[in-house]
């Protein structure tokens, strides 16, 4: 007899006006199962997860937990039913510490509500973590919160400093905090949205060990990822969404990566192959003995030297939080330099405006807070570039007709969805917000493009599209500095490869064909260890 599904979605539909984001989806999750969900950007994955987590309510259809129809009016209801979610866009309070954020997640959790929320099947759900904090009468005990954070970090091998402010953390460390928040309330169903985006190959394996431990404890995991290899390595079953509908569901291994990609896209995937390309001797970026202070009064970049030339992509791989962000911000004039020099085309501009006018494009690591203005429309965000503003203004006034023609052209060229210039960027999926940033920064054809995790959150088709754009820049004799936590990405399109670890740069082109060696360098092992 087949085991009763822990979670079942029946004909679930969600409409936003005339837009059908989730279209008659049927889905089930078994106890102790790791179920992967694949789909293009805008396919409905995030909306579907938000329905399960109570952030949205369905337009029609039902959500069943242990066979009973359940109405999830809020995340608190979802947590009461043993559902935890790690969002792709973090739900953290920037001005609080790690421990305080985790304490708040536990404070919202009431085990008595959990037991009253459903039938006797839910009585088997665990209470909150053994070291749970006493937050009755809104009291906060710093030592208990710190102890809980340290206990969770050690137990699940997710190290993070408990008393660090969230705003001072890298993207990768923020993601760790989100995972710890979900684990702090012992979620029986754990929804993970792109959980390995900022991990090295070795850390991915360690993280998979964590998932297998949770699975052995009969917990169920919904694993959302764009990485085919990881989905095939960790999942038991796979569901593919396309245009809001589930077009495929089957056991892992029934379809190859290419077959899954075809289900996602509705057509064969056109992959990108890097061709050998001889770089010019003309220097574009010259960094000499650069030292940059980080957010915690420590040097994030340490005595770093680097050159890039016309007609090449220089790739820097590394685990997030090793100085990559500070390096990019220093080049852009967004962060003070402690010592050393940065030259761009033989000049040493220090102000961001002057650096931009030298012909520098920038794709930041965090699109939501640094790449776009959420309240602006697509068209307005596409204009936020010095070159575009010069073209589209006359005597300080924006030419409206030109603005819409220009934005519509970029929307079509970069496949931004929806295709309406007036739509607020806040309503777009994360992947489509990233396409807005890419369109704005690449279209002016900058002499130097600094791209930090340019494909984070993008589906496989959009990822290859971005890679083609970066390779096109190289072929037009431009210079590209690619900084990415995606080792496969760096290997796929870079002409020269470095690894950044603890603020230092290690030449690694000779290890292009040795993933193990690169992984060791990324985790701080010395070159002699390789």
């Amino acid at each position: 007899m087949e085991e009763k599904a822990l979670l079942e979605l029946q004909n679930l539909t969600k409409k936003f006006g005339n837009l059908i984001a989730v279209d008659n989806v049927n889905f089930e999750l078994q106890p102790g199962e790791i179920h992967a969900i694949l789909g293009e950007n805008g396919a409905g994955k995030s909306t579907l997860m938000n329905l399960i987590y109570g952030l949205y309510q369905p337009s029609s259809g039902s959500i069943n937990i242990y066979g009973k129809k359940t109405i999830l009016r809020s995340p608190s209801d979802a947590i009461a039913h043993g559902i935890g979610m790690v969002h792709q866009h973090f739900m953290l309070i920037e001005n609080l510490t790690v421990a305080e954020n985790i304490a708040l997640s536990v404070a919202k959790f009431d085990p008595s509500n959990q037991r009253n929320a459903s039938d006797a099947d839910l009585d088997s759900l665990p209470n909150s973590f053994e070291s749970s904090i006493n937050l009755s009468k809104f009291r906060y005990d710093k030592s208990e919160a710190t102890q809980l954070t340290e206990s969770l970090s050690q137990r699940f091998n997710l190290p993070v400093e408990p008393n660090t402010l969230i705003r001072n953390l890298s993207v990768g460390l923020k993601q760790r905090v989100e995972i710890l928040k979900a684990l702090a309330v012992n979620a029986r169903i754990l929804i993970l949205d792109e959980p390995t985006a900022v991990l090295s190959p070795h850390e991915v394996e360690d993280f998979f060990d964590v998932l297998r431990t949770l699975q052995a404890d009969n917990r169920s995991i919904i694993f959302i990822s764009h990485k085919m290899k990881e989905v095939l390595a960790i999942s038991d079953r796979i569901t593919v969404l396309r245009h809001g509908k589930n077009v495929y569901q089957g056991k892992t291994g029934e379809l190859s990566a290419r077959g899954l990609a075809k289900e996602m896209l509705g057509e064969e995937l056109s992959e990108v192959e890097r061709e050998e390309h001889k770089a010019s001797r003309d220097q574009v970026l010259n960094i000499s003995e650069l030292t940059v202070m980080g957010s915690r009064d420590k040097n994030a970049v340490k005595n770093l030297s680097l050159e890039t030339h016309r007609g090449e992509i220089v790739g820097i791989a590394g685990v997030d939080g090793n100085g990559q962000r500070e390096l990019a911000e220093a080049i852009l004039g967004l962060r003070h330099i402690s010592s050393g020099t940065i030259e761009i085309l033989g000049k040493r501009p220090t102000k961001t405006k002057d650096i931009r006018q030298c012909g520098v494009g920038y794709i930041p690591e965090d699109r939501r807070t640094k790449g776009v203005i959420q309240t602006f429309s697509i068209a307005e965000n596409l204009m936020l570039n010095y070159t575009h503003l010069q073209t589209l203004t006359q005597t300080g006034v924006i030419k409206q007709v030109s603005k819409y023609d220009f934005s519509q052209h970029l929307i079509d060229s970069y496949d931004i969805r929806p295709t309406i210039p007036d739509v607020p960027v806040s309503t777009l999926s994360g992947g489509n917000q990233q396409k807005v940033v890419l369109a704005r920064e690449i279209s002016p054809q900058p002499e130097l493009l600094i791209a930090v995790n340019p494909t984070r959150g993008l589906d496989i088709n959009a990822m290859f599209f971005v890679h083609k754009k970066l390779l096109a820049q190289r072929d037009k004799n431009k210079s590209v500095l690619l900084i990415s936590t995606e080792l496969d990405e760096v290997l796929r399109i870079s002409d020269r490869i470095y690894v950044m670890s603890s603020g230092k740069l290690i030449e690694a082109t000779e290890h292009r064909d040795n993933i193990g060696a690169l992984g060791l360098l990324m985790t701080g092992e010395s070159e002699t260890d390789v």
Side-chain angles (χ1 to χ4, degrees):
M1 181 176 172
E2 187 175 343
E3 192 172 3
K4 181 165 39 175
L6 175 58
L7 172 71
E8 185 179 11
L9 312 180
Q10 294 182 334
N11 303 317
L12 205 66
T13 297
K14 179 61 179 178
K15 297 179 181 179
F16 297 97
N18 294 325
L19 174 67
I20 303 177
V22 172
D23 191 357
N24 204 40
V25 167
N26 291 287
F27 172 88
E28 65 177 35
L29 182 69
Q30 297 293 335
E33 176 185 29
I34 299 177
H35 197 135
I37 296 185
L38 291 170
E40 283 192 279
N41 298 121
K45 304 187 301 297
S46 294
T47 301
L48 186 65
M49 295 307 102
N50 286 335
L51 288 166
I52 297 172
Y53 197 57
L55 287 166
Y56 298 152
Q57 279 67 55
S59 303
S60 60
S62 64
I63 298 174
N64 300 332
I65 298 178
Y66 277 112
K68 273 200 169 184
K69 183 175 180 179
T70 306
I71 298 175
L72 303 173
R73 296 182 177 86
S74 68
S76 296
D77 282 350
I79 292 170
H81 285 81
I83 301 172
M85 182 171 179
V86 177
H87 299 266
Q88 184 179 350
H89 305 302
F90 309 133
M91 303 293 184
L92 299 169
I93 301 176
E94 295 281 319
N95 292 328
L96 296 183
T97 67
V98 172
E100 288 166 345
N101 271 269
I102 291 174
L104 281 176
S105 70
V106 176
K108 295 175 183 176
F109 176 73
D110 185 346
S112 64
N113 284 347
Q114 185 183 62
R115 293 181 181 277
N116 293 332
S118 189
D119 61 7
D121 287 309
L122 287 176
D123 285 338
S124 62
L125 293 177
N127 292 332
S128 55
F129 192 71
E130 299 95 275
S131 304
S132 184
I133 303 166
N134 178 14
L135 285 165
S136 60
K137 299 182 180 179
F138 303 100
R139 292 179 59 212
Y140 168 69
D141 188 313
K142 181 178 178 180
S143 63
E144 288 188 27
T146 300
Q147 182 184 5
L148 172 60
T149 303
E150 290 174 342
S151 297
L152 288 167
S153 296
Q154 292 171 10
R155 177 178 175 180
F156 296 103
N157 194 26
L158 295 168
V160 64
E161 172 55 47
N163 297 314
T164 301
L165 292 175
I166 295 295
R167 67 167 180 259
N168 292 334
L169 296 180
S170 66
V171 172
L173 291 177
K174 288 179 181 178
Q175 186 184 56
R176 289 185 191 179
V177 178
E178 283 285 19
I179 294 172
L180 291 171
K181 279 174 54 182
L183 294 173
V185 296
N186 249 349
R188 180 58 62 185
I189 298 171
L190 190 60
I191 303 169
L192 303 176
D193 194 352
E194 300 289 348
T196 64
V198 293
L199 303 180
S200 74
H202 293 292
E203 288 176 317
V204 168
E205 286 303 317
D206 291 341
F207 181 68
F208 282 179
D209 288 340
V210 171
L211 297 189
R212 293 184 184 105
T213 299
L214 295 173
Q215 185 179 30
D217 195 39
N218 211 35
R219 304 182 195 223
S220 302
I221 297 164
I222 300 176
F223 187 91
I224 303 170
S225 178
H226 294 106
K227 300 178 183 180
M228 295 289 187
K229 290 180 182 178
E230 292 182 2
V231 165
L232 291 170
I234 194 63
S235 64
D236 300 302
R237 284 194 297 162
I238 299 171
T239 290
V240 178
L241 298 182
R242 186 168 74 237
H243 303 312
K245 298 181 179 181
N246 52 341
V247 295
Y248 170 81
Q249 186 175 103
K251 292 182 179 180
T252 301
E254 287 182 353
L255 289 182
S256 64
R258 181 171 287 275
L260 290 169
K262 184 176 180 180
E263 292 292 342
M264 285 170 56
L265 307 174
E267 60 186 10
E268 290 288 348
L269 178 67
S270 177
E271 295 193 31
V272 174
E273 294 292 337
R274 183 184 67 87
E275 297 178 358
E276 293 297 329
H277 184 85
K278 187 173 182 179
S280 164
R281 298 184 65 181
D282 295 337
Q283 194 179 83
V284 177
L285 175 67
N286 182 14
I287 302 174
S288 179
E289 299 181 348
L290 181 70
T291 297
V292 180
M293 189 74 75
S295 301
R296 281 164 272 175
D297 297 326
K298 294 181 180 179
N299 288 333
V301 178
K302 303 171 184 176
N303 200 35
L304 181 149
S305 295
L306 173 70
E307 294 181 359
T308 74
H309 302 85
R310 289 190 179 278
E312 71 170 351
I313 297 176
V314 176
I316 299 179
V319 180
D320 206 17
N322 277 275
Q324 301 99 315
R325 176 180 60 180
E326 290 82 359
L327 171 61
E329 291 178 352
I331 298 171
L332 265 291
L334 298 170
R335 187 176 286 267
H336 175 71
I337 296 172
S338 299
S339 62
T341 60
I342 299 175
E343 289 186 358
I344 300 170
L345 295 173
K347 300 178 181 179
R348 294 187 183 181
T350 57
K351 295 181 180 179
T352 301
K353 179 181 177 182
D354 296 334
I355 292 168
R356 287 290 209 164
Q357 289 178 350
C358 277
V360 179
Y362 178 45
I363 300 168
E365 67 167 347
D366 190 342
R367 56 179 168 263
R368 285 179 64 84
T369 60
K370 297 181 180 179
V372 296
I373 298 177
Q374 294 288 325
T375 54
F376 279 21
S377 68
I378 295 175
E380 290 165 340
N381 271 281
L382 289 170
M383 290 181 60
L384 297 178
N385 182 291
Y386 177 78
T387 303
H388 293 333
L389 283 173
Q390 274 192 319
T391 303
L392 298 171
T393 56
Q394 186 173 12
T395 62
V397 179
I398 296 172
K399 296 180 283 187
Q400 294 298 317
V401 174
S402 299
K403 165 185 161 183
Y404 284 105
D405 289 345
F406 157 81
S407 59
Q408 192 65 62
H409 169 71
L410 288 185
I411 286 169
D412 295 339
S413 299
Y414 284 78
D415 191 28
I416 299 168
R417 305 175 193 175
T419 60
I420 306 168
D422 282 332
V423 168
V425 158
S426 61
T427 64
L428 273 60
S429 68
N432 280 293
Q433 289 186 16
Q434 184 75 328
K435 289 181 184 179
V436 172
V437 177
L438 292 160
R440 184 186 67 224
E441 297 300 321
I442 295 177
S443 58
Q445 298 299 313
E447 299 300 324
L448 170 65
L449 177 65
I450 302 169
V452 185
N453 290 316
T455 61
R456 179 177 286 167
L458 297 186
D459 60 65
I460 190 167
N461 196 39
M463 178 186 71
F464 286 147
F465 178 82
V466 172
H467 290 170
K468 288 177 182 177
K469 290 290 185 182
L470 298 183
L471 288 166
Q473 288 296 104
R474 182 198 70 171
D475 295 343
K476 291 173 183 175
N477 214 31
K478 308 296 185 181
S479 179
V480 178
L481 179 61
L482 170 65
I483 302 173
S484 179
T485 56
E486 300 284 354
L487 182 55
D488 287 345
E489 176 170 70
V490 173
L491 291 172
R492 184 178 290 120
I493 65 172
S494 299
D495 299 294
R496 288 193 290 130
I497 297 170
Y498 291 85
V499 166
M500 196 163 184
S501 178
S502 299
K504 297 181 179 180
L505 210 57
I506 305 166
E507 170 69 54
T509 306
E510 63 180 305
H511 300 304
R512 178 186 292 278
D513 298 321
N514 189 339
I515 298 293
L518 289 168
L520 285 173
L521 291 174
M522 289 171 67
T523 52
E525 299 291 342
S526 67
E527 291 182 86
T528 56
D529 295 323
V530 177

